[in-house]
Amino acid sequence: MASTSPTRHAWRVLLGLLVVTAVLFGINALGVYVFKADNDKPASSWTPELALDLQGGTQIILQAATPDGAAPSADQLTQAVSIIRQRVDASGVSEADITTEGGRNIVVQIPGAASKADRARITASAKLEFRAVLYTDAPVNSFVGEDGKSTPYPTPAATLEATPTAKPTNASDPAYITPKLQAQFQAFDCNAEQESNPPEDQPLIACEFDNQGNAQAKYILGPMELDGTVINDATAGREQQSGQWTVNLSMNAKGTKVFGEISQRLNANRIANLSPRDQFAFVLDGKVISAPVMQAAILNGKPSISGNFTQESAKTLADQLKYGALPLSFTVQSSDTVSATLGSQQLQYGLIAGLIGLGLVAVYSLLSYRALGWVIMASIAVMGVLTYIIIAILAWRMGFRLSLAGVAGLIVSIGFTADSFIVYFERIRDELRDGRSITGSIEYGWERAKRTIYIAKSVNILAAVVLFILADATVKGFAFTLGLTTLIDVFIFVIFTHPVMQILARTRFFGGGHRLSGLNAESLGAVRGAEIEYRTAETASKGRAARNKGARGEAERRQTIAERKRAEALTAMGSKDAGKDSDAS
């Protein structure tokens, strides 16, 4: 019963691998057949997405604008490039190309067709302001005058009072609403172009819009009390009760303190029924994205923005807020399709190189390990399937794009993967040379090999992480695929290769030590027999030299240094004992 336990365990592990593979294909199938992108195309695909160098994409040229019309400084352009790159390439693997051109232009090249969310990430200033609500009303599509007919929006009279009669005590004080501000609010057209950089120390008239761009509400807001610089992190998520998408913020120490004081004030207004002065507006580039009622004091610095968000728009806003507002405003000068810088021919060359490398690994494995070479090839095949489907899922979930550098990382991983199995098989053969049975050699070899492999793969992963962090964007794809395949390599080694070896050990071909199995003890030149007696290579080959001429040479090649020294020492001891016996006689 005990002898079959490892086999049963191996079958259960392989079944688990099958389940994991099915789940991965099922996840990608949801992206292909259920979920849709903003352009109504499937969110995922059964083929990996290619990067700019292999597929081409969209080029957007942005021109910077300064308040005084002067050329922007080099530092401002550099900062803008850094922010745009972080927004577009939030996962670090989309292989976008962002450069400056001339004295005021930024050229952005992204793989594939640019979606609305991509354009929003690139062009939006993303200046976030926190303002208290002073007054709100429903927007009107046209102004109705005293004659009861639709007339143009009136211009507030210049003689109206614009200074508060009493000095406001806080940003929620209705004293800010002067006769002139009230007239401006009445005449404000939500469909007109909004001011993207309003004065921070003055009240603001702004509108809130739905997903279709229709105005939903019009507000008079107090002066800005906080801005987006207090945000440490921003993430998109679903609200548990309503299921709506929200943007969750995490503030620094200053933001936590100030927002806590603001929330206490607004919560007190709610308790006193001073609506709408219990509302707090999140204003992005002059537009209200949400103006919720403050239900309680928020003292932990982690408010959330709720609004008419989809998953994509919530993720876009979170990326914009996380990486900060652009130091300049930009206008889109042009948006064109660009061709691949390398093209499909280079991809074909890369794939051919990969196939050649795979073929060489197969030839070496079969020559060195006989039938065990097929275990190596099967492991690489399973790894290839998992890598392929994971890359397809990452293209959907993370925007991963496979560049030529990424293809190079996949090719290099073939050799690294074969290394793991070679270390394992050599450990098994060492145990066979020591006189263990095949099943025992597989278990003992596993215990000795896995530690070596874990250490080696840890070094590979560390190198990939350092390269990903420090290298140029064009090399990140190589580092990413190298790190990914290393992790998959370890996974396959544990959940496929070892269980397969446990099962093969119970078969007649491998378990019986067939000469073509790669596990034949005689062919390996075992230096210790079943009696646990060390023998020299010459002694071990006596009596069977006629039927196995190659065993002696194989034994000499395969003996470890320790085994050779011990065999020589035993031989020398035997010679001394023989000499003593001769002297005694």
Side-chain angles (χ1 to χ4, degrees):
M1 188 72 172
S3 62
T4 60
S5 178
T7 306
R8 293 180 178 178
H9 175 73
W11 281 113
R12 286 196 296 268
V13 172
L14 291 177
L15 180 60
L17 174 62
L18 184 62
V19 171
V20 170
T21 305
V23 168
L24 290 175
F25 274 90
I27 291 173
N28 197 60
L30 291 176
V32 174
Y33 301 113
V34 178
F35 294 101
K36 301 290 183 182
D38 354 354
N39 54 6
D40 288 333
K41 291 184 178 180
S44 186
S45 171
W46 290 114
T47 57
E49 297 289 347
L50 300 181
L52 194 65
D53 57 348
L54 299 176
Q55 174 182 302
T58 304
Q59 174 179 280
I60 301 174
I61 299 179
L62 306 175
Q63 186 178 70
T66 57
D68 57 0
S73 66
D75 289 342
Q76 288 176 316
L77 284 178
T78 301
Q79 183 183 359
V81 167
S82 176
I83 293 174
I84 292 174
R85 176 175 285 114
Q86 288 174 322
R87 290 181 183 177
V88 173
D89 203 13
S91 63
V93 289
S94 67
E95 302 286 346
D97 184 26
I98 304 170
T99 57
T100 58
E101 181 183 71
R104 60 169 71 233
N105 289 350
I106 292 179
V107 180
V108 182
Q109 293 182 334
I110 59 176
S115 63
K116 293 180 180 178
D118 292 330
R119 295 180 186 275
R121 284 188 176 92
I122 295 170
T123 59
S125 172
K127 181 182 179 182
L128 182 68
E129 297 179 340
F130 299 81
R131 293 175 179 258
V133 175
L134 302 177
Y135 181 77
T136 182
D137 199 358
V140 291
N141 294 325
S142 61
F143 178 73
V144 181
E146 294 181 356
D147 58 359
K149 298 179 180 179
S150 296
T151 58
Y153 281 85
T155 301
T159 57
L160 290 174
E161 183 60 47
T163 304
T165 56
K167 184 178 180 180
T169 58
N170 56 59
S172 297
D173 196 330
Y176 278 110
I177 305 177
T178 62
K180 185 173 183 178
L181 184 62
Q182 185 69 46
Q184 289 174 334
F185 176 79
Q186 186 180 17
F188 190 83
D189 184 4
C190 287
N191 296 320
E193 185 175 353
Q194 310 296 306
E195 186 178 2
S196 59
N197 291 296
E200 298 177 355
D201 59 347
Q202 298 295 322
L204 172 68
I205 301 172
C207 298
E208 183 178 1
F209 299 86
D210 60 18
N211 291 329
Q212 286 71 41
N214 300 318
Q216 288 188 311
K218 186 162 61 172
Y219 300 94
I220 298 179
L221 307 174
M224 186 189 75
E225 298 189 79
L226 280 174
D227 62 15
T229 59
V230 301
I231 297 175
N232 280 339
D233 193 16
T235 57
R238 282 186 181 274
E239 208 277 328
Q240 291 184 352
Q241 295 181 348
S242 64
Q244 294 181 338
W245 283 96
T246 62
V247 177
N248 304 309
L249 307 180
S250 177
M251 297 182 174
N252 59 21
K254 174 188 173 183
T256 300
K257 179 178 181 297
V258 176
F259 193 83
E261 296 171 352
I262 295 169
S263 65
Q264 288 176 322
R265 185 188 73 225
L266 298 181
N267 189 49
N269 289 344
R270 178 185 64 84
I271 295 174
N273 293 321
L274 298 178
S275 180
R277 288 156 53 197
D278 56 354
Q279 292 179 247
F280 200 65
F282 298 91
V283 184
L284 184 70
D285 295 337
K287 296 180 181 180
V288 176
I289 55 176
S290 179
V293 174
M294 189 66 66
Q295 300 290 343
I298 301 177
L299 305 179
N300 61 358
K302 295 184 178 180
S304 62
I305 305 175
S306 59
N308 297 304
F309 292 128
T310 61
Q311 179 181 2
E312 189 67 27
S313 62
K315 179 67 169 57
T316 299
L317 178 58
D319 289 342
Q320 291 172 342
L321 300 182
K322 180 177 181 180
Y323 299 115
L326 293 175
L328 300 164
S329 59
F330 291 89
T331 56
V332 178
Q333 290 293 100
S334 64
S335 178
D336 303 301
T337 300
V338 294
S339 59
T341 56
L342 295 176
S344 58
Q345 187 176 22
Q346 298 297 327
L347 177 60
Q348 291 175 359
Y349 290 158
L351 295 177
I352 291 173
L355 291 175
I356 292 174
L358 184 62
L360 292 175
V361 170
V363 171
Y364 172 82
S365 301
L366 294 174
L367 290 178
S368 299
Y369 296 101
R370 280 66 171 187
L372 283 181
W374 292 109
V375 178
I376 295 178
M377 300 312 299
S379 299
I380 292 178
V382 174
M383 177 180 171
V385 172
L386 289 182
T387 303
Y388 187 90
I389 191 62
I390 289 175
I391 287 178
I393 294 174
L394 292 179
W396 167 32
R397 303 306 305 168
M398 291 177 53
F400 174 75
R401 297 278 179 160
L402 190 61
S403 64
L404 193 61
V407 174
L410 296 177
I411 295 173
V412 170
S413 69
I414 296 175
F416 287 170
T417 302
D419 285 346
S420 302
F421 309 135
I422 291 173
V423 170
Y424 181 30
F425 293 160
E426 286 300 325
R427 291 294 191 184
I428 294 175
R429 288 183 164 190
D430 285 343
E431 298 298 330
L432 286 174
R433 295 187 191 100
D434 284 346
R436 294 190 189 277
S437 66
I438 290 179
T439 55
S441 296
I442 288 174
E443 297 305 324
Y444 278 96
W446 163 254
E447 292 300 324
R448 296 174 64 188
K450 67 180 182 181
R451 290 192 296 269
T452 304
I453 291 173
Y454 290 160
I455 294 172
K457 298 306 175 182
S458 298
V459 174
N460 289 346
I461 293 174
L462 179 61
V465 170
V466 172
L467 187 63
F468 183 86
I469 295 174
L470 300 180
D472 184 74
T474 56
V475 188
K476 288 184 182 293
F478 173 84
F480 184 84
T481 54
L482 182 60
L484 175 66
T485 51
T486 301
L487 292 174
I488 298 176
D489 174 14
V490 175
F491 178 77
I492 294 299
F493 175 67
V494 173
I495 206 170
F496 179 79
T497 308
H498 179 54
V500 166
M501 290 299 298
Q502 289 178 309
I503 294 173
L504 292 179
R506 267 68 181 181
T507 64
R508 178 179 299 179
F509 181 78
F510 286 94
H514 192 280
R515 294 183 60 82
L516 295 180
S517 67
L519 297 176
N520 182 269
E522 290 186 0
S523 298
L524 296 174
V527 296
R528 189 169 66 167
E531 299 80 19
I532 317 299
E533 175 189 356
Y534 282 93
R535 297 171 290 174
T536 64
E538 290 78 11
T539 303
S541 62
K542 277 185 177 181
R544 60 178 191 269
R547 53 189 173 84
N548 188 16
K549 294 181 180 180
R552 181 173 56 201
E554 180 72 12
E556 292 175 347
R557 287 195 301 271
R558 295 296 185 178
Q559 278 182 307
T560 64
I561 295 175
E563 289 170 339
R564 289 179 182 178
K565 288 184 177 180
R566 181 172 292 184
E568 291 171 358
L570 291 174
T571 303
M573 290 175 61
S575 299
K576 288 181 180 180
D577 292 340
K580 290 179 180 179
D581 293 341
S582 176
D583 293 339
S585 63

